[in-house]
Amino acid sequence: MNDLLELMVNRRSVRKYSSEPVTEDQIKDIVTAALLSPSGHSKYPCEFIVVRDRRMLDQMTHCRVGVAKMLNNASCAIVVIADRDKSDTVIEDSAIAMMNMHLMATSLGLGSCWIQLRLRTSEDWKDSEIFIRELLNIPENYLCQAILSIGNLERMPKPHDINSLDYRKIHDEKF
Ligand SMILES: Cc1cc2nc3c(=O)[nH]c(=O)nc-3n(C[C@H](O)[C@H](O)[C@H](O)COP(=O)(O)O)c2cc1C
């Protein structure tokens, strides 16, 4: 199987991590993958906040109801933010950067998971974006679309089954 396809088969959303810390070299590779992402009109509006502080990670778990608890045992998290004043494709650019980081984490043998902020609500019923913006001091003109939680694997996740993919979703020439 092609190397990239194999990586994609093995990529899973991992929400349980061991206590072993992610190294600075690994974080460097992940943010490098983010910075290599394509960008609409080459505007490159995305910036990245790497959070390693345990107390801050614990506070960030409250950005969503229930589904951000993995930050409690993550070694670090990377928040993708994007300057709306620079580009009109901040949502697309942020999503691509998230995916590049998610795949790079997989290729480094780490577990990671997307935590959605845009259009979501925090435990104290704030907009999740606003919750994170206030916590991390992010200026208002930045979209805060998502967080990638990252940690070492506690156990190998089950890969996807390439034979169960629904190729009926692929249309030939016309719908
Ligand atoms: C846009 C988007 C938002 C997501 N938000 C969350 C989230 O807030 N919390 C979470 O635990 N997983 C989140 N996920 C992960 C999905 O639940 C996961 O990708 C899906 O269940 C498929 O599993 P897999 O990633 O292991 O293939 C999100 C994924 C995407 C693409």
Side-chain angles (χ1 to χ4, degrees):
M1 195 189 297
N2 165 280
D3 286 351
L4 180 57
L5 205 52
E6 194 175 349
L7 184 72
M8 289 171 165
V9 167
N10 288 321
R11 182 216 55 80
R12 296 308 307 261
S13 295
V14 176
R15 301 176 179 87
K16 281 213 163 103
Y17 313 107
S18 75
S19 55
E20 188 190 339
V22 170
T23 67
E24 287 306 313
D25 281 350
Q26 289 171 321
I27 293 175
K28 181 80 187 290
D29 283 352
I30 293 169
V31 295
T32 301
L35 292 171
L36 282 167
S37 305
S39 171
H41 281 150
S42 300
K43 297 286 186 193
Y44 300 101
C46 291
E47 298 180 34
F48 306 90
I49 304 178
V50 182
V51 181
R52 305 169 181 83
D53 180 68
R54 181 77 271 143
R55 277 176 45 201
M56 183 59 88
L57 289 167
D58 289 345
Q59 286 187 64
M60 285 165 63
T61 61
H62 305 297
C63 72
R64 293 285 308 280
V65 183
V67 298
K69 292 286 168 249
M70 62 289 239
L71 288 168
N72 271 324
N73 65 105
S75 172
C76 70
I78 303 180
V79 185
V80 178
I81 61 172
D83 189 344
R84 287 196 183 88
D85 295 340
K86 277 194 183 160
S87 166
D88 60 1
T89 58
V90 284
I91 295 175
E92 293 83 353
D93 286 19
S94 297
I96 294 168
M98 280 292 291
M99 198 58 210
N100 268 12
M101 296 197 296
H102 194 24
L103 283 172
M104 177 53 79
T106 306
S107 86
L108 293 167
L110 300 169
S112 59
C113 189
W114 182 311
I115 299 166
Q116 178 76 2
L117 298 172
R118 194 178 74 86
L119 304 178
R120 297 291 181 266
T121 309
S122 70
E123 279 180 355
D124 57 0
W125 298 104
K126 269 186 195 157
D127 181 303
S128 298
E129 264 196 79
I130 294 173
F131 180 96
I132 288 294
R133 182 173 293 131
E134 289 176 355
L135 199 60
L136 301 179
N137 222 7
I138 301 164
E140 258 186 43
N141 51 314
Y142 280 77
L143 166 75
C144 310
Q145 180 159 339
I147 304 170
L148 192 72
S149 62
I150 309 168
N152 273 284
L153 295 173
E154 208 172 50
R155 70 183 77 87
M156 280 303 281
K158 197 169 170 276
H160 285 282
D161 175 9
I162 204 165
N163 297 313
S164 70
L165 298 177
D166 189 357
Y167 284 92
R168 289 172 306 179
K169 290 179 177 174
I170 313 301
H171 305 275
D172 269 336
E173 313 298 347
K174 283 187 177 177
F175 189 88

